[in-house]
Amino acid sequence: MNTEETSQAIFEALAHGVAQDTEAAFSKLNAACETADGPRMYGICCALAETGAHMLRSIYGDQAPKSPEDGMFVLHELRPGTTRDDPEAMFAMRFLTAWANGDTDTTDALFTAATRASSEQYIGSVCALFADVVGIARLALEQRTETER
């Protein structure tokens, strides 16, 4: 898959995810990821995180930090310990937060660590990031729909 086809597959995967068509969403995500090398996979994770960051800014509006000087997004577990035994979920939350804060050194380090984990954890980490972004996008769209009523 070339870059344009990968971008289209990720866009379609997100659209299917938001529409709650899980099978089609993960089929498109798999199609984009199965032939991707390391740099392309990092790009996929960054594209997903950018979507998530955009949706977070949509949700939080004027309260969202606009730059590192203005503030930062932070992790806050609603149920402490939830991610303690879930490295994939921790990767997703940390990657998304770092990307939203413009911290590419951290996203690079997190991605490198994920690639050095087991294949199962690496795949699980990318899927967790995808699932988190889809959930955030759904929430943002629900809020937008409620506001328009």
Side-chain angles (χ1 to χ4, degrees), residues 85-105:
D85 297 322
D86 191 348
E88 293 91 350
M90 182 56 79
F91 166 86
M93 290 189 335
R94 291 182 68 201
F95 193 96
L96 177 56
T97 303
W99 185 265
N101 289 327
D103 184 356
T104 56
D105 289 341

Side-chain angles (χ1 to χ4, degrees), residues 60-124:
Y60 290 105
D62 292 340
Q63 296 176 359
K66 292 164 188 51
S67 69
E69 294 78 31
D70 188 40
M72 297 177 67
F73 284 101
V74 295
L75 290 173
H76 181 74
E77 280 187 302
L78 298 179
R79 289 172 292 182
T82 305
T83 59
R84 184 178 310 123
D85 297 322
D86 191 348
E88 293 91 350
M90 182 56 79
F91 166 86
M93 290 189 335
R94 291 182 68 201
F95 193 96
L96 177 56
T97 303
W99 185 265
N101 289 327
D103 184 356
T104 56
D105 289 341
T106 298
T107 59
D108 185 47
L110 289 166
F111 182 78
T112 299
T115 63
R116 293 182 179 153
S118 70
S119 293
E120 184 177 293
Q121 280 187 334
Y122 175 57
I123 293 166

Side-chain angles (χ1 to χ4, degrees), residues 15-148:
H16 286 297
V18 170
Q20 299 185 7
D21 185 350
T22 306
E23 186 176 323
F26 280 100
S27 174
K28 288 291 184 179
L29 180 64
N30 184 56
C33 296
E34 69 184 352
T35 60
D37 59 6
R40 177 138 323 162
M41 280 303 302
Y42 180 71
I44 288 169
C45 288
C46 292
L48 292 172
E50 181 61 28
T51 301
H54 179 77
M55 294 291 110
L56 285 170
R57 288 183 187 92
S58 174
I59 291 167
Y60 290 105
D62 292 340
Q63 296 176 359
K66 292 164 188 51
S67 69
E69 294 78 31
D70 188 40
M72 297 177 67
F73 284 101
V74 295
L75 290 173
H76 181 74
E77 280 187 302
L78 298 179
R79 289 172 292 182
T82 305
T83 59
R84 184 178 310 123
D85 297 322
D86 191 348
E88 293 91 350
M90 182 56 79
F91 166 86
M93 290 189 335
R94 291 182 68 201
F95 193 96
L96 177 56
T97 303
W99 185 265
N101 289 327
D103 184 356
T104 56
D105 289 341
T106 298
T107 59
D108 185 47
L110 289 166
F111 182 78
T112 299
T115 63
R116 293 182 179 153
S118 70
S119 293
E120 184 177 293
Q121 280 187 334
Y122 175 57
I123 293 166
S125 294
V126 174
C127 289
L129 177 60
F130 177 78
D132 283 356
V133 169
V134 165
I136 292 166
R138 281 186 195 145
L139 178 61
L141 291 172
E142 286 171 12
Q143 284 185 354
R144 181 175 294 161
T145 302
E146 289 173 11
T147 303
E148 292 173 355

